[in-house]
Structure formats: C-alpha cells, structure tokens
Amino acid sequence: QKEVEQNSGPLSVPEGAIASLNCTYSDRGSQSFFWYRQYSGKSPELIMSIYSNGDKEDGRFTAQLNKASQYVSLLIRDSQPSDSATYLCALYGGATNKLIFGTGTLLAVQP
Amino acid sequence: DAGVIQSPRHEVTEMGQEVTLRCKPISGHNSLFWYRQTMMRGLELLIYFNNNVPIDDSGMPEDRFSAKMPNASFSTLKIQPSEPRDSAVYFCASSKYAGPAGEKLFFGSGTQLSVL
C-alpha cells in the first residue's frame, strides 16, 4: 500500500459547483496534513494545512481530517476555472518524519 | 524576497554526462529539500538538510546521485553518470525548519532534466 493515495482523476466539475478531493494514508502515526496546488508547468504551493480531526475552513477551501479512518479531504466551494490544477495531498509520516506527497488529483473546472 | 532560486530551468544532456543542479534557498530558512517529480511516481523526496547538514538521504536513488550544501545559501544535486531514467523535474524547496510541526515549504521553479 502506498503511503499516500489519491485518485489521479481528472475530476471534472462545472463552474460554481463544489469540488471534493480525497486522500487516504497508511501511517497511523502521521501528524500533519497539507494540500498543495500545482498548476501545469509550475511548482507546488501550499493552500491548506490541518493538524487535528475535524474541519478547517479558509475562504472557499475546507480541509477535513479523520485520523480514525485515515483520510483527509479538500472541498472547494464555488469552483472557478482558475482552480483547475493538480492538487497534492501531503503529510508528515510518523515513522519517516518527513513530508510525503501523493501523486495528485487533476481537477478540471468547466466554464 | 526572491524566493527559492533554481538553475538551470532546463537541462538536456546525453547519457553518461555529469549533471549539476543548483539551488539558492530563501534567506533565513534552515531546511532545504530536493524532490524529484515524474508522472508515474509523483513527488519523491531525495534528500533534505537542516542547518546545512544532510539529515535523510534515503530517497537518493543510487550512488550516481549526490547532494551538497556547503553553506546556508547554496546547494547542489549532482548526477554522475546520468541515465535516461533520470529524466524528471527536480525541485528544490526550503522552509524555516523541518519536522512534524509542518512548516510551510516554498518550492523553486524546478529544473526540467532530459537525458537522451
């Protein structure tokens, strides 16, 4: 089992809809969780971090963490074409103590 | 601040040649990371440094890869000899510190390496 798993997509949503991106992980000792956005041909940039169970909201973005089920998700409300990018889930592994990335989910927001 | 600066942006070389990638982290950041990104494997951590000291190089594929950080403002990743399977985008990133606290990573623009 991969340390961090994401559906590669593409996930296609219409403009204005909610995009839901999911990520599961294998290391129960993982402590910190992140969502990075990467536009085509660009470098990743951090958009959300979450450290405890529950929801964390920042503007149109909501990160959700459920450590018991070992998943973390990202909701994007009122999706815009400018949100079209690859979204990378990342976490600090409890065993490895280093930042591990998933392979990312490609989101396409249709105007 | 100019951000993390990597050079070159693109490198095309022939199999067997030596390749050197360069990185200047953000001033004041104590941790530096080298990642490799491919379609198949995503972003893989190759090595990271804290205060110029290599902490974990378990991600370095093999002895052909080496990394140095002679001072707080410069790091290199060298591949010798290069092989076609090394073709990827190599990212350098820096942060104030590494560890479970999860300080934000700032990535450079990457080096697109093509080994023919």
Side-chain angles (χ1 to χ4, degrees), chain A residues 32 34 38 43 92 97-99, chain B residues 35 37 56 58 99-100 102 105 108:
Chain A
S32 311
F34 309 89
Q38 186 175 24
S43 57
Y92 262 109
N97 195 33
K98 53 190 178 185
L99 193 62
Chain B
Y35 282 88
Q37 188 174 38
D56 188 334
S58 59
L105 259 63

Side-chain angles (χ1 to χ4, degrees), chain A residues 2 31-32 34 36 38 41-46 51 88 92 96-103, chain B residues 33 35 37 40-43 45 48 56 58-59 91 98-102 104-105 107-109:
Chain A
K2 290 183 180 178
Q31 303 176 42
S32 311
F34 309 89
Y36 280 75
Q38 186 175 24
K42 303 296 185 181
S43 57
E45 56 177 333
L46 180 68
Y51 304 100
L88 303 167
Y92 262 109
T96 62
N97 195 33
K98 53 190 178 185
L99 193 62
I100 306 297
F101 284 84
T103 52
Chain B
F33 307 79
Y35 282 88
Q37 188 174 38
M40 290 299 296
R41 301 175 68 90
L43 264 172
L45 178 64
Y48 78 93
D56 188 334
S58 59
F91 286 105
K104 177 179 179 180
L105 259 63
F107 283 81
S109 299

Side-chain angles (χ1 to χ4, degrees), chain B residues 62-113:
Chain B
E62 47 199 273
D63 292 346
R64 298 185 297 106
F65 286 68
S66 62
K68 294 182 179 179
M69 192 166 186
N71 56 61
S73 59
F74 184 65
S75 177
T76 59
L77 178 68
K78 185 177 293 186
I79 308 172
Q80 167 62 24
S82 58
E83 297 183 2
R85 59 191 169 123
D86 301 331
S87 298
V89 180
Y90 290 80
F91 286 105
C92 175
S94 72
S95 69
K96 288 186 180 177
Y97 51 84
E103 182 67 19
K104 177 179 179 180
L105 259 63
F106 292 81
F107 283 81
S109 299
T111 295
Q112 173 75 62
L113 174 64

